Amino acid sequence: MMWGRCFLNVISCTWFLNIIQDEFMNGKIGLDSTMKLLEKLHITFDVAHVKHVFKKTVDKRKVHTINIEDFRAIYRTIVHRTEFHELFCAYSPNHKILADTELIEFLKKEQFQTEDSEIRALEIILKYEPIDEVRKRRQLSFEGFIRYMSSEDSSIFKKDHRTVYQDMNHPLCDYFISSSHNTYLISDQLIGPSDLFGYISALLKGCRCLEIDCWDGSNNEPVVYHGHTLTSKISFSSVIHVIDKYAFAASEYPVILSLENHCSPKQQEVMAQHLEDILGDKLLTSTIGDSVVTQLPSPEALKFKILIKNKKVGTIEETMLRKGQDSHGETAEISEEEYSSEEDETDEKAPLQPKGNSSKRKGENKPSSTPRKKAKIKKIKIAIELSDLVIYTKSEKFVSFEYSLANQKCYENNSIGEVKARKFVKHSGNEFVSHTSRFITRIYPKGTRTNSSNYNPQEFWNVGCQMVALNFQTPGVQMELQTGKFLDNGGCGYILKPEFLRNHSSTFNPYNVGRYSKPMSLSIRLISGHQLPPSNLSKTNKADPLVQIEIYGVPEDQVKRKSSVIKSNALSPRWDETFSFTVQVPELALIRFCVEDEISLVANEFLGQYTLPLLSLSKGYRNVPLFSKNGGKLEPASLFVYVWYY
């Protein structure tokens, strides 16, 4: 055994020296060569941390270069994490090597990998063991173990949730659908630029419902911009070209174009022409199967299709009868009852003219499921050519839950402003759930959010709203929840709703979950952090990090827990603290890890976060990747945790 240990030391040393020695031909190297060597050793690192450790090493001797022993010390500081070593030694009798049998035991006991653990162990050795001699012996050195524990294979996000695993054959209304608001804007709602990048960015993030605000433009060419504001304009045709190019880059499931249509019938015909010419076969122009529609088709049946969501004249059946006829120049009028109430001020498209007094008076919190003051009848002219492109996503003005239940067809959907919707969630939760189990419902931000801020989407997912539209260009907790939720099911933009939000006879209410509670006991041991982003205020590459673990879900499940603060350590803070949670409705819950730097007793600075669905948590020792405010990966910054639940 002693010989084996010496032999392993020699092999490990030889491997290390073979990779680095050429760089040390002249005895010493500088910072750039140090970083190149770390890359050669396949180590991801934060430049700021390497600079800091390098500077500490050279400052002692007042030189600007290091020798081979210094490099080895820097490598160990950055790579050889003590928490990994403790774990490795617990399963390695000689503290140098894990035989395949020992790795299998680790995978079964600690990583809850009970199926195919032999195959899995071999895969890990072949993929992560950098030393040839060790790999050939079907063993894992500490170097290989570090690489495995830091990899995506040890990520907190369940491996099988990274691909589409849910049943995609339910009707469209049975899914949460990743949805964006005013997709063409890339900053605020008043004077900011409209930009094609808004569409590219949203589609690459897996967004499946895009909004297009269409207005009459010059030369009979419709334009896209935020009406009655100073936001810049882009041509409708250029938007459709970009959508054609990127629609299925991130997901093969259907894209819905939500048209906010303010165009004259003449320019609506131009829109219809562009949609057909540019999108070609991708555009859904007729029903799938029966022309009598009693149920929406599934995402699976609509793969690689683009659907138009707009107001429509008459029924789908009438549209199908018109197929093949020339309806050029034909228009029809739709009558819509306009209701006047405080809710008007939340109109999606009128941020510049808030109507009435928005301050709350007594008794105004109760939502009216029947409108208060009936006002004028509004007539809307629609070109038949555009109307006929609306198949399964016909926009209908929302009147009340009772009205929808009695009159609404399965292919008709509603848009409800966040203020009105929030009141329904609080006071008519059951009816709201019943409504969304039948009809696609879109929620949009109130018009007074001129700075493109977002509401919390969770409260509307809690009642089954399918299209909870957010301003994708605005970073913050709300977009982090959106991103975290739609990581699930392979990031395809469609997530099957829990059964209690699909069932027409469900009595689920997020404010009183009752018999729908399936409590989950969750325990998270926060062990350590690794190469966290240093504080913006620190000249010495330090931070005083703390971690907040938050659960978002039904009101009863909302909770925030906070770790202690580790002073002056962004490279390798160690907490070893355990947090326990009981979650009543795990199917709707998200968990968010947020790392902050304590600036003072009252203020913290955001360093990084990661959000994922509670049911996508892997058990065992896991790394938690961290993302920046703008959604970029902060590699190699991560947390190391132990997850357990039943």
Side-chain angles (χ1 to χ4, degrees):
M1 193 58 164
M2 200 57 211
W3 174 86
R5 199 164 173 170
C6 293
F7 176 65
L8 289 167
N9 280 342
V10 170
I11 284 181
S12 184
C13 272
T14 310
W15 163 79
F16 192 74
L17 287 172
N18 281 347
I19 292 174
I20 69 169
Q21 62 194 7
D22 288 353
E23 286 292 327
F24 286 95
M25 287 297 193
N26 301 325
K28 305 259 176 134
I29 63 168
L31 178 62
D32 286 349
S33 299
T34 298
M35 296 208 250
K36 279 197 190 109
L37 270 186
L38 288 170
E39 279 168 14
K40 210 170 165 186
L41 286 153
H42 301 298
I43 294 302
T44 49
F45 56 86
D46 182 322
V47 174
H49 282 296
V50 174
K51 271 186 180 168
H52 178 61
V53 177
F54 184 88
K55 190 173 179 302
K56 261 171 83 171
T57 307
V58 295
D59 278 0
K60 285 177 198 160
R61 293 199 297 274
K62 309 241 181 318
V63 288
H64 297 293
T65 53
I66 58 167
N67 61 30
I68 204 159
E69 276 310 311
D70 294 330
F71 178 78
R72 182 174 278 180
I74 289 171
Y75 177 80
R76 284 190 179 134
T77 303
I78 299 277
V79 180
H80 284 198
R81 300 167 58 178
T82 52
E83 61 273 36
F84 286 179
H85 198 246
E86 289 158 13
L87 202 49
F88 182 80
C89 291
Y91 284 85
S92 164
N94 65 1
H95 297 185
K96 290 288 169 193
I97 216 86
L98 280 178
D100 53 356
T101 50
E102 289 149 8
L103 180 56
I104 290 164
E105 192 192 354
F106 169 77
L107 291 175
K108 282 181 175 172
K109 270 194 182 167
E110 305 293 4
Q111 303 302 72
F112 299 88
Q113 182 94 42
T114 46
E115 285 172 35
D116 305 324
S117 45
E118 289 85 352
I119 297 166
R120 191 74 200 98
L122 191 56
E123 283 172 356
I124 289 166
I125 291 166
L126 293 174
K127 189 170 176 184
Y128 296 108
E129 179 50 59
I131 306 170
D132 290 341
E133 290 91 333
V134 178
R135 193 169 56 247
K136 282 172 190 157
R137 288 162 169 257
R138 295 195 167 191
Q139 295 171 331
L140 196 68
S141 69
F142 182 47
E143 291 291 343
F145 186 74
I146 290 165
R147 284 158 177 76
Y148 162 61
M149 292 307 292
S150 313
S151 75
E152 198 149 83
D153 285 329
S154 295
S155 166
I156 193 165
F157 189 76
K158 270 187 186 166
K159 197 172 185 179
D160 52 356
H161 288 199
R162 289 176 217 167
T163 50
V164 175
Y165 68 95
Q166 294 177 345
D167 184 353
M168 301 305 280
N169 294 297
H170 288 257
L172 272 186
C173 60
D174 281 359
Y175 296 83
F176 293 118
I177 303 169
S178 177
S179 303
S180 125
H181 173 250
N182 286 356
T183 318
Y184 49 88
L185 292 181
I186 55 170
S187 65
D188 66 70
Q189 314 268 319
L190 296 184
I191 56 174
S194 303
D195 200 297
L196 294 171
F197 179 71
Y199 290 97
I200 298 171
S201 170
L203 286 167
L204 292 178
K205 288 174 184 166
C207 182
R208 299 287 87 190
C209 178
L210 309 169
E211 190 179 18
I212 312 179
D213 255 15
C214 314
W215 299 80
D216 280 354
S218 52
N219 307 324
N220 204 31
E221 276 296 333
V223 291
V224 174
Y225 83 111
H226 201 193
H228 311 304
T229 68
L230 301 174
T231 57
S232 61
K233 300 172 182 175
I234 43 181
S235 73
F236 178 78
S237 65
S238 67
V239 169
I240 304 307
H241 272 294
V242 157
I243 290 168
D244 176 57
K245 186 174 176 184
Y246 291 94
F248 304 107
S251 166
E252 49 201 24
Y253 290 101
V255 169
I256 298 159
L257 304 184
S258 181
L259 302 183
E260 195 66 45
N261 184 0
H262 307 275
C263 289
S264 60
K266 195 177 171 195
Q267 294 209 13
Q268 287 180 36
E269 287 196 338
V270 177
M271 285 165 61
Q273 207 57 58
H274 284 322
L275 288 165
E276 291 187 281
D277 292 349
I278 297 166
L279 299 177
D281 291 345
K282 293 184 186 126
L283 185 68
L284 186 80
T285 55
S286 61
T287 53
I288 295 170
D290 300 338
S291 58
V292 178
V293 180
T294 53
Q295 180 177 297
L296 286 174
S298 68
E300 193 63 37
L302 293 167
K303 258 184 178 175
F304 299 111
K305 287 294 179 192
I306 295 174
L307 283 68
I308 304 303
K309 176 173 151 344
N310 190 49
K311 297 208 175 353
K312 180 176 178 67
V313 179
T315 64
I316 296 186
E317 292 76 24
E318 288 162 357
T319 296
M320 297 322 290
L321 288 172
R322 264 197 301 273
K323 261 222 145 333
Q325 295 174 17
D326 181 16
S327 42
H328 191 68
E330 282 184 46
T331 64
E333 247 181 9
I334 295 177
S335 297
E336 241 182 31
E337 290 177 327
E338 281 283 276
Y339 304 108
S340 145
S341 76
E342 275 74 19
E343 267 115 34
D344 282 354
E345 72 157 320
T346 68
D347 180 32
E348 183 174 11
K349 296 300 158 198
L352 288 183
Q353 313 107 338
K355 296 171 200 155
N357 179 6
S358 64
S359 62
K360 293 273 166 268
R361 292 183 291 278
K362 261 193 186 147
E364 274 183 13
N365 274 336
K366 275 301 234 190
S368 59
S369 208
T370 49
R372 255 164 286 178
K373 286 180 255 173
K374 196 173 272 196
K376 57 186 186 302
I377 298 282
K378 182 170 134 191
K379 303 254 188 216
I380 301 163
K381 274 197 168 163
I382 294 189
I384 297 295
E385 278 190 12
L386 183 63
S387 171
D388 283 355
L389 295 183
V390 178
I391 307 295
Y392 294 118
T393 39
K394 176 185 178 183
S395 300
E396 270 302 309
K397 182 105 177 159
F398 178 76
V399 180
S400 69
F401 293 138
E402 296 83 14
Y403 181 88
S404 290
L405 198 55
N407 302 287
Q408 202 160 313
K409 295 184 169 67
C410 68
Y411 57 82
E412 294 175 333
N413 54 66
N414 310 119
S415 285
I416 307 176
E418 62 165 299
V419 175
K420 197 180 206 170
R422 195 169 288 120
K423 290 177 182 175
F424 288 146
V425 172
K426 274 210 166 95
H427 302 284
S428 322
N430 301 77
E431 293 94 320
F432 211 158
V433 169
S434 167
H435 180 81
T436 60
S437 73
R438 292 170 170 82
F439 312 111
I440 291 178
T441 304
R442 178 175 172 270
I443 308 297
Y444 59 85
K446 58 187 176 185
T448 47
R449 291 184 182 273
T450 52
N451 61 347
S452 294
S453 62
N454 280 313
Y455 51 72
N456 177 355
Q458 185 67 48
E459 54 186 330
F460 304 120
W461 292 327
N462 286 344
V463 289
C465 295
Q466 293 84 347
M467 296 177 176
V468 180
L470 294 183
N471 293 303
F472 270 47
Q473 74 274 29
T474 308
V477 176
Q478 299 83 0
M479 262 314 285
E480 288 159 11
L481 296 176
Q482 154 78 28
T483 304
K485 185 168 190 72
F486 287 98
L487 276 180
D488 200 1
N489 205 25
C492 77
Y494 284 84
I495 288 169
L496 188 63
K497 300 198 287 184
E499 199 275 336
F500 57 79
L501 292 178
R502 307 192 308 258
N503 186 339
H504 291 350
S505 53
S506 170
T507 57
F508 178 76
N509 187 332
Y511 277 90
N512 181 16
V513 298
R515 67 188 177 91
Y516 293 98
S517 167
K518 284 190 198 152
M520 169 170 153
S521 282
L522 168 69
S523 157
I524 291 180
R525 179 151 69 91
L526 172 65
I527 300 166
S528 62
H530 180 61
Q531 297 196 59
L532 302 179
S535 163
N536 288 331
L537 304 169
S538 168
K539 289 189 175 65
T540 57
N541 202 51
K542 296 262 176 28
D544 296 341
L546 64 107
V547 179
Q548 296 215 60
I549 301 177
E550 307 167 354
I551 308 274
Y552 289 83
V554 298
E556 197 181 337
D557 288 336
Q558 296 282 134
V559 63
K560 276 186 192 187
R561 297 279 167 73
K562 200 187 267 193
S563 76
S564 57
V565 178
I566 305 295
K567 290 288 179 194
S568 296
N569 189 348
L571 176 63
S572 54
R574 188 84 188 250
W575 285 279
D576 288 315
E577 293 175 35
T578 301
F579 301 90
S580 299
F581 305 89
T582 302
V583 183
Q584 299 302 325
V585 188
E587 300 97 321
L588 287 172
L590 297 170
I591 182 163
R592 179 173 179 262
F593 296 84
C594 182
V595 185
E596 296 177 343
D597 174 34
E598 187 183 64
I599 299 167
S600 68
L601 289 174
V602 289
N604 296 338
E605 179 200 342
F606 174 93
L607 293 180
Q609 70 82 36
Y610 187 62
T611 305
L612 71 160
L614 202 66
L615 296 182
S616 296
L617 282 176
S618 287
K619 286 182 179 176
Y621 286 99
R622 301 291 165 184
N623 66 66
V624 181
L626 292 176
F627 288 78
S628 70
K629 255 203 164 45
N630 293 320
K633 198 168 184 185
L634 292 167
E635 220 172 20
S638 62
L639 298 172
F640 187 51
V641 297
Y642 182 80
V643 179
W644 191 80
Y645 53 82
Y646 66 90

